[in-house]
Amino acid sequence: MTEASVKDMPETTAKERAKQEGPLFKPLYLQVRERLTGRMIEGLWPPGMLLPSEQRLAAELGVSQGTVRKALDAMAADHLLVRRQGRGTFVAEPEEGRILFQFFRLRPDDGRAPFPESTAVSLRADRADAETAALLTLESRARIWRLKRLRRLDGVPLIVEEVVLPFARFRHLDREEPLPNNLYALYAGRFGATIARAEERLKAVAAGRAEATALGCPEGAPLLRIDRIAYGLDDRPVEQRVSLCLSEQHHYANSLR
Amino acid sequence: MTEASVKDMPETTAKERAKQEGPLFKPLYLQVRERLTGRMIEGLWPPGMLLPSEQRLAAELGVSQGTVRKALDAMAADHLLVRRQGRGTFVAEPEEGRILFQFFRLRPDDGRAPFPESTAVSLRADRADAETAALLTLESRARIWRLKRLRRLDGVPLIVEEVVLPFARFRHLDREEPLPNNLYALYAGRFGATIARAEERLKAVAAGRAEATALGCPEGAPLLRIDRIAYGLDDRPVEQRVSLCLSEQHHYANSLR
DNA sequence: GAGTGGTCTAGACCACACA
DNA sequence: GTGTGGTCTAGACCACTCT
């Protein structure tokens, strides 16, 4: 390094810059994380893409490799990235096996994890009632899609579910028929809407006539009801769904840590 | 450092020692984690204790502060430790609020998180049947405790549950009556058995006569059934329990990441 | 002021994948 | 062999807590 370049060096360190951002201190590695997440949201880094190496990112962003590493590790822990020693860091893909493990918790009691097959029953445009609008943070009476599906495990009908999506973000959803098994792959691949996390509420309810018919169980039989809100990379709600599941020979698996 | 001391320095670095442990390479920070966890298991570091500082631990264990930090951070992420800037690192306590958030997922639909009050219905010694023995990795016909409880939320009976514990590890459990609300605090404080994690299976079932009576619901009403196995610091099963929950105005909350 | 964990940096070497 | 992420080290300064 020449003397001239030393003279020209910025007088602020990365750390100082972090502080200068304002009275609300935010660690550099979180700022890095937000910038990287932003590229994914903008679609510059689509699922499956190989990221630049840690060294390159560090040089590009003007921070040390260790800081980039901390941001990447955190994103990998949240399943937004996949790191592979010797190969590189990739944007996570909504691959069937992973999505299944992450977002589909219904298992046969024997412990296997078979892939569910889904059949779309109906897809229609509608308007959000007050409750749905609140759950998806839409305006009341906003346009939505309502998708009804029947899902089978090992060929046996086990789940009836209704999926609600904001029309604005999934404008030409009806052109995608037949809808694939893995909706989250569709959201990410065709609509740029990656699902990052979800919140679920579980209840036990009695089967109504429609569910009983679809699932081949007696009316009044106990069903597991799962209400889900799924959130995007920007942490805003993307999808709302209600699933009614037969749980006679199946269960919802959960780990508490 | 003098020349003499340089001469006397061990010729192996911490990294090399990690490798020498055998053909199965295990990162140093995981070895550190295991040693620290071991102290908790042995009871040398009981819940609430202040750990030595990172610098002291690093010196004591012969590794760098960064390696100790990585082990401590991982243990804090698993809720085994609590780190407080400016104060130190503490062994996590089975404090009511935390345990509730971590292991008790039933909430009123309005979103509050009231403390459950529990009433012991019966506690008796028994012998494990084949299934229970398998779940708790005990020998068949091993001695066990069976504890039945009724749990209320906001004063309303909501859960009937049966807790099964190995007799060997909880020998004088009957001397602890009346049993406290927070069983996991009892396990940790009186029996040196800290619960580190749990696996749950959820189903919807129909209320039998006994449950209907206890919960004040119609026979056949849908109930949420939760089967849980709780594991200790050594990752071996400690407790098995089955909970039957009214979920008319309550739900089981879960986050998927 | 002293001591703690939290953040950031810089650099070394190892394990792994691929050409 | 080259390049990647994974691990380990050493040291600096900051934010926080308590005395």
Side-chain angles (χ1 to χ4, degrees):
Chain A
M1 192 176 280
T2 69
E3 283 186 22
S5 74
V6 168
K7 260 189 184 172
D8 294 344
M9 274 179 62
E11 309 216 347
T12 57
T13 65
K15 186 102 191 216
E16 283 162 357
R17 261 175 283 143
K19 290 187 60 177
Q20 288 174 0
E21 301 284 328
L24 289 68
F25 169 73
K26 181 169 278 185
L28 246 191
Y29 73 91
L30 287 182
Q31 297 179 39
V32 169
R33 178 184 171 142
E34 283 175 5
R35 291 184 64 175
L36 303 187
T37 304
R39 296 186 188 182
M40 291 168 61
I41 294 175
E42 291 166 32
L44 301 176
W45 286 357
M49 177 168 167
L50 171 64
L51 266 60
S53 72
E54 295 179 351
Q55 289 288 8
R56 276 182 213 283
L57 283 173
E60 183 191 327
L61 299 172
V63 301
S64 77
Q65 186 188 1
T67 299
V68 169
R69 171 179 295 277
K70 198 161 178 181
L72 295 177
D73 281 345
M75 293 174 74
D78 286 345
H79 306 113
L80 301 182
L81 300 176
V82 176
R83 314 198 71 179
R84 285 189 249 227
Q85 191 174 30
R87 295 189 55 195
T89 302
F90 301 80
V91 179
E93 291 185 276
E95 178 265 323
E96 187 110 18
R98 181 180 71 82
I99 290 291
L100 215 68
F101 186 78
Q102 191 177 355
F103 290 112
F104 187 82
R105 301 299 192 90
L106 209 69
R107 309 256 185 281
D109 286 341
D110 61 26
R112 291 175 304 114
F115 281 29
E117 317 138 39
S118 304
T119 317
V121 174
S122 69
L123 171 64
R124 64 184 182 87
D126 194 6
R127 295 207 174 256
D129 55 33
E131 189 193 345
T132 302
L135 290 175
L136 290 177
T137 61
L138 300 173
E139 293 178 8
S140 194
R141 309 273 309 139
R143 297 178 74 188
I144 55 171
W145 287 112
R146 286 190 191 275
L147 166 65
K148 293 197 164 112
R149 298 201 297 173
L150 178 66
R151 312 185 75 179
R152 292 180 173 83
L153 235 46
D154 300 319
V156 181
L158 272 192
I159 308 172
V160 290
E161 73 185 7
E162 183 176 60
V163 177
V164 177
L165 294 166
F167 189 89
R169 224 172 151 175
F170 296 87
R171 202 161 289 278
H172 298 301
L173 184 61
D174 51 342
R175 292 190 194 164
E176 301 293 336
E177 296 185 277
L179 290 165
N181 234 324
N182 183 347
L183 284 184
Y184 290 179
L186 177 73
Y187 299 170
R190 303 284 293 173
F191 299 94
T194 295
I195 299 300
R197 65 180 191 91
E199 299 285 339
E200 294 193 327
R201 294 181 165 205
L202 283 76
K203 280 175 176 276
V205 299
R209 177 164 313 190
E211 294 95 59
T213 307
L215 298 174
C217 67
E219 211 174 318
L223 298 181
L224 202 56
R225 175 187 165 131
I226 309 174
D227 286 81
R228 174 191 292 182
I229 309 281
Y231 297 85
L233 290 168
D234 56 2
D235 216 38
R236 296 194 316 188
V238 172
E239 175 211 66
Q240 184 244 329
R241 67 165 73 182
V242 178
S243 308
L244 293 164
C245 317
L246 259 183
S247 63
E248 209 165 313
Q249 294 169 357
H250 299 73
H251 63 269
Y252 179 99
N254 196 28
S255 295
L256 307 180
R257 282 170 236 273
Chain B
M1 192 177 277
T2 68
E3 284 187 20
S5 75
V6 169
K7 258 190 183 171
D8 294 345
M9 274 179 60
E11 310 215 349
T12 58
T13 65
K15 187 98 191 226
E16 283 162 356
R17 262 174 284 142
K19 291 187 57 177
Q20 287 174 2
E21 300 285 328
L24 288 67
F25 169 72
K26 181 169 280 185
L28 246 191
Y29 72 92
L30 287 183
Q31 297 179 41
V32 168
R33 178 184 172 142
E34 283 175 4
R35 290 184 64 175
L36 302 186
T37 304
R39 296 186 189 182
M40 292 169 61
I41 294 174
E42 292 166 31
L44 301 175
W45 285 357
M49 177 168 168
L50 172 64
L51 266 59
S53 73
E54 295 179 350
Q55 288 289 6
R56 276 181 213 283
L57 282 173
E60 183 192 327
L61 300 172
V63 301
S64 77
Q65 186 188 1
T67 298
V68 169
R69 171 178 296 276
K70 197 161 178 181
L72 294 178
D73 281 345
M75 293 174 75
D78 286 346
H79 305 112
L80 301 182
L81 301 176
V82 177
R83 314 198 71 179
R84 285 189 252 227
Q85 190 176 30
R87 296 188 55 195
T89 301
F90 301 81
V91 179
E93 291 185 275
E95 179 265 323
E96 187 111 15
R98 181 181 70 81
I99 289 292
L100 216 68
F101 185 78
Q102 190 176 356
F103 290 112
F104 188 80
R105 301 298 192 88
L106 209 69
R107 310 256 185 280
D109 285 340
D110 61 27
R112 291 175 305 115
F115 281 28
E117 317 138 38
S118 305
T119 317
V121 174
S122 69
L123 172 64
R124 64 183 181 86
D126 193 6
R127 296 208 172 255
D129 55 33
E131 190 194 344
T132 302
L135 290 174
L136 291 176
T137 60
L138 300 173
E139 292 178 10
S140 194
R141 308 273 310 140
R143 297 177 74 188
I144 55 170
W145 287 112
R146 285 191 191 275
L147 166 65
K148 292 198 163 112
R149 299 201 297 173
L150 177 65
R151 313 185 74 178
R152 291 179 174 83
L153 235 46
D154 299 319
V156 181
L158 271 192
I159 308 171
V160 290
E161 73 185 8
E162 183 175 62
V163 177
V164 177
L165 294 165
F167 188 91
R169 224 172 151 176
F170 296 87
R171 201 161 290 278
H172 299 301
L173 183 62
D174 51 341
R175 293 189 192 164
E176 301 294 335
E177 297 184 275
L179 289 165
N181 235 325
N182 183 346
L183 284 183
Y184 290 180
L186 178 74
Y187 300 171
R190 304 283 294 173
F191 299 94
T194 295
I195 300 300
R197 66 180 190 90
E199 299 286 338
E200 294 192 327
R201 292 181 166 205
L202 283 78
K203 280 173 176 276
V205 300
R209 176 163 313 189
E211 294 94 58
T213 308
L215 298 175
C217 67
E219 211 174 319
L223 298 181
L224 203 55
R225 175 187 165 130
I226 308 174
D227 285 82
R228 174 191 292 182
I229 308 281
Y231 297 84
L233 290 169
D234 55 2
D235 215 39
R236 297 194 316 189
V238 172
E239 175 212 65
Q240 184 244 330
R241 66 165 74 181
V242 178
S243 308
L244 292 163
C245 318
L246 260 183
S247 64
E248 209 164 311
Q249 294 168 357
H250 298 74
H251 62 268
Y252 179 99
N254 196 28
S255 295
L256 307 180
R257 283 169 236 275

